Amino acid sequence: MTTLSKDTRTSRQIVLDAIAELAGLGHAITRENLQATTGLTQHIVDDNVSRMVDEEGTLRRVRPGVYELVRGIGKMPNVYFTDIGEDSSLIIEVDDCGKLVINDPRVARKIAERLSGNYAQNLMLEMKYQFGMVSQDLMLELKQAKRELSQRIAELEAEKSNLARKLAERPTQSSLGLGFDEPATSQH
């Protein structure tokens, strides 16, 4: 007889594993795919995904309900910088990667220039991405507003037609109550 073992992973870990599986298979990372893959409720999936987008940066929202995995998933290693003495030496240590000792300030400047270029490029790409997302969101909101206005205009035109038809069905003089609708009779 076999016993079923209970899954002891947290809902976050279950969602992360599903994201890695979907990405590895080349499938879209959507709310629906995550819910189907994990078996978790949509509320739990949405809660975890929101944290991964807004707080952790593990995911990036491509459009509502569709996400992409940000490179470098996993724990960021600690990075330590140590300035040594008057000779402007610098030690850079990265957990699980090693230590770099820089004794020449020109080398430190060169590294800083190179990394600042990477940072600027990444910042520019992120700004372009964010601008695109805002533009897309505004476009979707504008389309929704146009649909709602078109629907409201159609409703008002139908209402106008109904009122015009009702008005056309009424005799004008009798509706005014002037008494012209009956011929006057003389009594002799």
Side-chain angles (χ1 to χ4, degrees):
M1 180 166 107
T2 60
T3 58
L4 296 176
S5 62
K6 184 175 186 212
D7 192 349
T8 58
R9 297 177 297 168
T10 64
S11 62
R12 180 188 180 286
Q13 189 59 50
I14 292 170
V15 171
L16 260 178
D17 291 346
I19 289 168
E21 181 181 340
L22 289 170
L25 294 172
H27 295 290
I29 301 170
T30 65
R31 296 174 70 231
E32 293 78 17
N33 286 351
L34 286 172
Q35 199 274 328
T37 304
T38 63
L40 298 171
T41 65
Q42 197 65 61
H43 173 74
I44 293 173
V45 169
D46 288 344
D47 186 47
N48 280 285
V49 167
S50 292
R51 255 188 257 114
M52 289 177 191
V53 170
D54 299 330
E55 297 171 17
E56 300 169 12
T58 305
L59 291 177
R60 173 180 286 170
R61 187 174 286 112
V62 177
R63 60 179 178 270
V66 180
Y67 307 92
E68 67 181 4
L69 187 60
V70 177
R71 284 191 223 158
I73 187 170
K75 185 180 179 292
M76 168 73 179
N78 293 319
V79 180
Y80 305 98
F81 294 89
T82 308
D83 292 314
I84 306 234
E86 299 167 7
D87 65 349
S88 301
S89 293
L90 173 66
I91 299 174
I92 303 172
E93 293 180 75
V94 180
D95 284 352
D96 300 327
C97 291
K99 181 190 316 189
L100 173 64
V101 179
I102 303 169
N103 294 324
D104 189 336
R106 295 172 299 168
V107 173
R109 277 195 301 277
K110 187 67 173 176
I111 292 171
E113 287 173 9
R114 177 67 169 90
L115 294 177
S116 67
N118 287 353
Y119 176 75
Q121 184 179 22
N122 287 336
L123 185 61
M124 181 190 66
L125 291 172
E126 183 63 25
M127 287 173 54
K128 279 182 166 181
Y129 171 79
Q130 292 297 331
F131 180 76
M133 290 301 296
V134 168
S135 298
Q136 180 183 9
D137 289 346
L138 288 174
M139 181 72 83
L140 292 172
E141 287 177 21
L142 179 61
K143 285 182 179 182
Q144 178 65 27
K146 283 182 177 181
R147 278 193 298 272
E148 290 172 1
L149 286 173
S150 295
Q151 183 180 4
R152 184 65 180 137
I153 288 171
E155 291 170 359
L156 289 173
E157 286 177 350
E159 191 176 319
K160 176 185 165 192
S161 296
N162 286 340
L163 288 174
R165 190 179 70 249
K166 285 181 182 178
L167 187 62
E169 291 172 355
R170 288 182 144 176
T172 13
Q173 292 178 348
S174 67
S175 66
L176 294 174
L178 297 176
F180 294 119
D181 52 340
E182 294 181 25
T185 56
S186 61
Q187 293 181 345
H188 291 266

